[in-house]
Amino acid sequence: MPKLVLIADDSPVARASVAREVRAAALDIIEASTAASAASINPAKLACALLDLDLGDGNGPDVAEGLRAEDAALPIAFFSAEREGDVVARARTIGPVFSKQSELNAAIAWIRANARA
């Protein structure tokens, strides 16, 4: 079974946009619309994760820390419209933070470069 790229965003439009681009890069994905659903995924199934900073019921760095507690080597990046603030600063200690839409190509390039087999 191939490993999956986790795409977590509470916005269906943003999630679909990112998912479409990741699929176009010939990668399989699993989508999550909430922090709870993203946190419930077994990280052993994942090649990497791209998490929104604001997931409605929680935030990306909290999800990332939970996933990393189970799999310390899991590559994790974030994407958000936010560029400043405590959550952004915390996310940057875990992985890169990409701007939604304007840095989508950079996020896809990061996924291609960091997704583990």
Side-chain angles (χ1 to χ4, degrees):
M1 172 187 238
K3 291 204 176 190
L4 304 167
V5 175
L6 171 59
I7 306 296
D9 195 316
D10 60 332
S11 165
V13 173
R15 195 173 58 250
S17 175
V18 173
R20 181 176 44 255
E21 294 298 321
V22 173
R23 283 188 187 105
L27 298 166
D28 294 321
I29 66 162
I30 185 168
E31 296 182 44
S33 60
T34 65
S37 61
S40 70
I41 295 169
N42 178 352
K45 295 179 180 181
L46 300 177
C48 66
L50 184 61
L51 311 173
D52 187 11
L53 291 180
D54 180 5
L55 291 165
D57 65 336
N59 66 53
D62 288 344
V63 172
E65 288 172 355
L67 293 170
R68 286 260 179 92
E70 294 182 50
D71 185 345
L74 179 66
I76 299 174
F78 303 90
F79 64 119
S80 180
E82 298 294 321
R83 295 305 299 160
E84 297 179 14
D86 293 342
V87 175
V88 175
R90 190 166 145 230
R92 285 191 176 119
T93 68
I94 299 168
V97 178
F98 299 99
S99 291
K100 275 191 181 174
Q101 301 317 333
S102 67
E103 292 184 322
L104 180 56
N105 289 337
I108 300 304
W110 179 89
I111 290 170
R112 285 183 178 144
N114 291 280
R116 58 191 184 177

